[in-house]
Amino acid sequence: MIKMVAVDMDGTFLNDERKYDKQLFLSLFKRMKARHIHFVAASGSQYQRLRHEFAEVADQMDYISQNGAIVHSGNELQHIEAISDEQVHGVIDLLKKTFEPGLINQEVVSGLHGTYVNRDMDPEVLKIVKYYYRPVIGVDNLATIAGNKVKDQFTKLAISFTPGINFDSASAKLAKVLPAKLTNETSGFNTDLVGSVDATKRSGIRILQDHYQIADDELMTFGDNENDLSMLTMTPHSFAMKNAAGKIQQSAAHVTQFDNNHNGVLETLKMAL
């Protein structure tokens, strides 16, 4: 019996226009609540954005945000896997030393309460950042940002590479230079998320499993990208999206009949629940 459903957002639950069939979802959500099934949004972006996406039921579901670094049940914080100021500064320094100017078009530092960008960020890039993160706060220099000054705990850096470059090569290059306690995972859109090796979507799900006493075979997961692999390989009820790359589909137990633009997650849930 399924007791928890965890879904990635972009490329999975949301269509390419970043929308979903709200009427169908709310109908299925009501069915899940009646059967005591926990619904989890598991994403690389921020908790605040996820709550906004599910405003009608925001306090009735669970959230794994920033790739597993932060876990909430409704509005209650369950866990945070923070990284230090020094780790943030070290990554930004590594980026300057490792990549030529122009290869990176976005550097973002995320925390529990907000997301931080350099004040001189390109306005068009800033518009994109503001979709995935909220609130977005400009600072003088990310290379010297301090948690005590902004009254936050940092959890992730989002590094976006310029369109047109060999992203797989750039991501592999970044992985080689990161210190042992940090790791990078691809979240799509030419973006790598850098954070603690102990913070993944799988680790976030484990926290909720312990909280609700749910076994692996009582869990259903959906994803489309590399940062979903950890949760797609932990249950016999995992689904890669029809629109996911072959590597992702091969790692999951199942593939959805429909892609993200045709309610792939919701249609699967409709048949399964």
Side-chain angles (χ1 to χ4, degrees), residues 56-239:
E56 293 87 352
V57 294
D59 286 338
Q60 302 176 55
M61 53 181 283
D62 302 272
Y63 305 89
I64 297 167
S65 56
Q66 297 184 38
N67 248 30
I70 301 175
V71 181
H72 285 84
S73 294
N75 60 8
E76 181 182 345
L77 177 66
Q78 293 285 348
H79 180 78
I80 178 169
E81 193 71 41
I83 56 177
S84 67
D85 294 0
E86 292 74 19
Q87 287 174 309
V88 170
H89 304 162
V91 170
I92 293 173
D93 187 50
L94 280 174
L95 295 175
K96 290 180 181 178
K97 292 178 179 177
T98 307
F99 299 100
E100 297 178 6
L103 292 184
I104 294 173
N105 68 356
Q106 176 186 310
E107 295 176 4
V108 170
V109 176
S110 291
L112 178 62
H113 302 300
T115 285
Y116 306 88
V117 299
N118 287 318
R119 293 190 203 279
D120 61 357
M121 175 176 274
D122 181 288
E124 292 303 312
V125 176
L126 183 60
K127 286 181 184 179
I128 298 171
V129 173
K130 285 184 174 179
Y131 171 75
Y132 292 103
Y133 303 96
R134 61 186 67 195
V136 176
I137 302 159
V139 298
D140 292 333
N141 190 355
L142 288 178
T144 58
I145 193 171
N148 62 346
K149 288 187 178 180
V150 296
K151 296 180 174 58
D152 208 344
Q153 293 175 276
F154 303 132
T155 51
K156 292 283 182 181
L157 295 94
I159 314 301
S160 294
F161 293 91
T162 304
I165 75 163
N166 186 324
F167 174 71
D168 289 341
S169 175
S171 179
K173 190 174 184 179
L174 176 58
K176 287 181 180 179
V177 299
L178 287 174
K181 292 184 178 180
L182 296 178
T183 189
N184 61 317
E185 287 188 306
T186 299
S187 64
F189 309 102
N190 267 26
T191 300
D192 262 3
L193 299 177
V194 177
S196 168
V197 294
D198 297 320
T200 65
K201 291 187 179 182
R202 179 191 288 252
S203 70
I205 288 174
R206 289 283 184 235
I207 289 163
L208 291 174
Q209 283 180 287
D210 290 343
H211 182 64
Y212 294 120
Q213 295 298 295
I214 293 173
D216 289 356
D217 61 0
E218 296 172 325
L219 169 69
M220 182 181 288
T221 60
F222 293 85
D224 77 309
N225 221 312
E226 180 184 297
N227 65 329
D228 300 315
L229 285 174
S230 65
M231 68 176 187
L232 290 177
T233 54
M234 66 186 299
T235 173
H237 308 295
S238 65
F239 288 82

Side-chain angles (χ1 to χ4, degrees), residues 8-73:
D8 170 57
M9 293 297 289
D10 298 286
T12 299
F13 190 79
L14 301 178
N15 62 28
D16 291 347
E17 295 181 352
R18 300 167 180 167
K19 297 177 181 178
Y20 66 94
D21 186 332
K22 193 163 288 190
Q23 183 176 356
L24 177 56
F25 166 71
L26 291 175
S27 172
L28 289 170
F29 186 84
K30 185 177 180 179
R31 192 186 304 179
M32 284 187 279
K33 290 294 289 183
R35 298 184 183 185
H36 305 288
I37 298 171
H38 299 274
F39 182 77
V40 186
S43 174
S45 60
Q46 270 190 306
Y47 166 69
Q48 291 87 340
R49 175 233 173 171
L50 299 177
R51 281 188 65 89
H52 177 75
E53 294 282 6
F54 297 101
E56 293 87 352
V57 294
D59 286 338
Q60 302 176 55
M61 53 181 283
D62 302 272
Y63 305 89
I64 297 167
S65 56
Q66 297 184 38
N67 248 30
I70 301 175
V71 181
H72 285 84
S73 294

